[in-house]
Amino acid sequence: MAKVKGKGTKDSPWELTTPSGSSSYLMYRDEAANPPAIVCIVGKTELRYQLRAIDDLHAMLKKQGDWMPLGSADEQKPAAEGTVEAWGRSPSNPVGGWYGLKKGLRGRFGMYMPPLLEALGLAEVEHNPKNNRMRAI
C-alpha cells in the first residue's frame, strides 16, 4: 500500500497526486454531508463525490477483474466507453448516474478517485504521463 499523508479528515486530509503525477490535491470524508461525501480540493476548486463511491468502485473493479482505463473527463465532455470515468456517471452504476455532487464539477471521477483507492490499499493505479489504468487489489 502506498504511504499516504493525512487521515482523511477535514483537519488532516489525505494528500494525493493525480495518476500522471502532474498535480497534487487533498481529499477527506464528510460523513455529515447529505449524502455523505468525499471532498476533493484541487487548488481553490472543491469537488464532491458520494462517499459510497469508494466501496462501489472497488466492488465494480473486483467484479470486472482486470485493468480498466481511467478516462478522466470534465463533466461537459463525454467519457470514453469502458472507462472508470464513464462508469462514474453511468445510469447503470449503483447510484444510477453521477457520483459527482456539484453540478458543473461532477466529472474528473477517473482522475481523483483512483489515487484514493490506491492510497487506501484497494487498487493498483498506473502512473504514466497519459492513458493510465487501474485494477482492484
Side-chain angles (χ1 to χ4, degrees):
M1 179 165 119
K3 178 74 179 119
V4 64
K5 287 185 179 164
K7 296 184 175 96
T9 63
K10 187 169 186 172
D11 295 333
S12 179
W14 290 301
E15 297 177 28
L16 302 164
T17 305
T18 56
S20 66
S22 61
S23 305
S24 296
Y25 62 100
L26 304 172
M27 282 185 131
Y28 65 89
R29 294 170 178 265
D30 183 356
E31 295 180 28
N34 187 9
I38 286 283
V39 180
C40 178
I41 311 284
V42 185
K44 291 188 162 103
T45 303
E46 179 185 291
L47 298 91
R48 288 176 168 257
Y49 302 103
Q50 293 188 46
L51 182 57
R52 65 176 290 177
I54 296 169
D55 294 331
D56 290 354
L57 178 55
H58 184 243
M60 181 276 295
L61 290 167
K62 272 192 110 57
K63 186 175 174 191
Q64 200 232 342
D66 201 1
W67 290 97
M68 186 174 198
L70 303 183
S72 179
D74 288 329
E75 178 177 346
Q76 297 76 15
K77 296 187 175 125
E81 282 300 311
T83 63
V84 171
E85 183 73 36
W87 178 86
R89 50 175 84 179
S90 169
S92 62
N93 71 28
V95 297
W98 295 92
Y99 277 91
L101 296 170
K102 288 181 100 172
K103 188 111 176 92
L105 296 171
R106 295 183 301 184
R108 297 268 166 209
F109 185 85
M111 168 90 64
Y112 299 122
M113 289 302 295
L116 176 59
L117 267 69
E118 182 179 47
L120 296 174
L122 300 172
E124 279 183 89
V125 178
E126 292 178 330
H127 298 281
N128 301 312
K130 300 165 93 157
N131 301 321
N132 288 302
R133 303 175 302 163
M134 74 183 300
R135 66 179 173 193
I137 292 178

